[in-house]
């Protein structure tokens, strides 16, 4: 982990972060660095303490370790996601979660994302990169307030983050919604993995393209559960969402 200083300060709206880690040195490092970057920070050492603080203070984002003394981070995110949805995107059961953990094998990464994690960073991490990822998650969670978007019987309400397919509500994590929004906004066009990473994950430093495949599979399980299928793989290029051929 790099030294927390110097880091560029960010002015404007103060976002409230909840750091969950049982290692006192890591908690203090993150608390100091993130406050210096103009975030308001609460910290928890156990899963239950994290759940209690999240319920009391409704953070804008949770930085969550997997290895905790009372319950693992996967159980924490399960309980967070089971909370009622908020009318404000990114709150309540939809609060963005960024895993920050030493558990970095592919199975753990995919498991964390499958449970609704919005990003997954392994220790040791670079603080400036971590802060860039926090800003990227917050940007895509809030999204753009635009008019309703439709493809066939799929409907997106960007302002409320409400999605329906054939009139049935489809519940998506903030990142899943952002990905679907990007695909629908480019309906009928093929978008590459690089374009998806740039527009959905907003990485300025490059990202792992496999995360795109992972999230496309999540969307298919939720959106393409019946015919006609709307999400298509264009081999060697990327993905497209389009109206079914008549």
């Amino acid at each position: 982990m790099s030294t927390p200083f110097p880091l560029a300060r960010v002015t404007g709206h103060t976002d409230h972060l909840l750091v969950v880690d049982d290692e006192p040195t890591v908690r203090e490092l993150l608390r100091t660095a993130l406050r210096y970057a103009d975030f308001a920070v609460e910290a928890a050492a156990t899963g239950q303490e994290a759940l209690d603080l999240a319920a009391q203070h409704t953070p804008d984002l949770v930085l969550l370790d997997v290895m905790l003394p009372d319950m693992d981070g996967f159980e924490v995110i399960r309980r967070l996601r089971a909370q009622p949805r908020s009318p404000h995107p990114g709150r309540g059961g939809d609060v963005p979660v960024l895993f920050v953990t030493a558990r970095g094998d592919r199975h753990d990464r995919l498991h964390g994302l499958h449970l609704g994690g919005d990003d997954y960073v392994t220790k040791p991490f670079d603080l400036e990169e971590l802060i860039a990822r926090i800003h990227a998650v917050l940007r895509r969670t809030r999204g753009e307030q635009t008019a309703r978007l439709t493809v066939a019987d799929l409907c997106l309400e960007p302002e409320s983050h409400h999605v329906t397919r054939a009139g049935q509500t489809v519940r998506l994590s903030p990142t899943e919604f952002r990905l679907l929004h990007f695909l629908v906004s480019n309906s009928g066009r093929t978008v590459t993995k690089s374009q998806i990473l740039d527009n959905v994950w907003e990485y300025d430093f490059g990202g792992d393209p496999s995360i795109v495949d992972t999230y496309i599979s999540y969307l298919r399980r939720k959106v393409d559960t019946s015919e006609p299928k709307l999400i298509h793989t264009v081999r060697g290029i990327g993905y497209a969402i389009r109206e079914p051929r008549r």
Side-chain angles (χ1 to χ4, degrees):
M1 288 173 279
S2 67
T3 177
F5 306 106
L7 291 174
R9 285 181 173 271
V10 180
T11 59
H13 170 75
T14 299
D15 290 300
H16 293 257
L17 309 183
L18 173 58
V19 173
V20 188
D21 198 299
D22 66 333
E23 296 182 46
T25 54
V26 175
R27 281 200 312 277
E28 190 56 35
L29 171 70
L30 288 174
R31 195 198 319 251
T32 301
L34 294 173
R35 284 178 176 171
Y36 188 81
D38 281 353
F39 292 106
V41 184
E42 294 277 353
T46 68
Q48 188 57 57
E49 185 182 1
L51 293 169
D52 292 341
L53 285 172
Q56 294 168 16
H57 301 292
T58 58
D60 293 295
L61 182 142
V62 177
L63 287 88
L64 180 60
D65 191 12
V66 172
M67 294 179 288
L68 299 171
D70 54 344
M71 67 183 84
D72 66 24
F74 299 139
E75 179 60 25
V76 173
I77 194 173
R78 283 192 194 96
R79 298 190 187 188
L80 283 173
R81 293 290 177 253
Q83 293 177 1
R85 297 175 67 116
S86 165
H88 305 288
R91 293 302 187 96
D94 291 333
V95 61
V97 174
L98 194 164
F99 282 100
V100 183
T101 177
R103 295 263 296 266
D105 66 65
R106 185 173 183 273
H107 172 77
D108 286 327
R109 289 170 61 90
L110 294 179
H111 188 46
L113 295 171
H114 179 68
L115 291 172
D118 296 279
D119 205 345
Y120 200 105
V121 175
T122 55
K123 299 175 183 177
F125 52 81
D126 178 86
L127 276 166
E128 292 197 60
E129 177 178 329
L130 178 63
I131 290 171
R133 290 190 182 222
I134 290 170
H135 283 300
V137 170
L138 289 171
R139 283 195 299 269
R140 71 176 181 257
T141 297
R142 290 175 180 133
E144 302 84 6
Q145 297 186 1
T146 57
R148 176 187 298 181
L149 300 172
T150 60
V151 176
D153 58 356
L154 176 67
C155 177
L156 281 77
E157 298 279 0
E159 186 169 354
S160 64
H161 281 209
H162 187 243
V163 178
T164 59
R165 176 86 197 265
Q168 299 298 310
T169 297
V170 179
R171 182 164 182 171
L172 302 177
S173 72
T175 302
E176 289 167 347
F177 180 88
R178 180 83 172 185
L179 174 56
L180 185 62
H181 184 278
F182 181 65
L183 292 173
V184 172
S185 298
N186 290 277
S187 176
R189 297 171 51 198
T190 299
V191 291
T192 67
K193 290 182 184 180
S194 294
Q195 288 173 322
I196 292 173
L197 283 171
D198 289 343
N199 288 274
V200 178
W201 276 266
E202 300 182 20
Y203 291 162
D204 297 325
F205 43 83
D208 181 358
S210 67
I211 198 173
V212 176
D213 301 321
T214 300
Y215 268 86
I216 288 289
S217 70
Y218 296 162
L219 278 185
R220 282 176 166 149
R221 292 175 199 168
K222 295 181 177 183
V223 172
D224 271 350
T225 56
S226 60
E227 296 293 338
K229 306 300 183 185
L230 300 179
I231 301 172
H232 302 273
T233 300
V234 181
R235 293 190 180 280
I237 302 177
Y239 297 97
I241 193 165
R242 56 176 176 257
E243 298 266 359
R245 292 189 174 93
R246 299 185 182 279

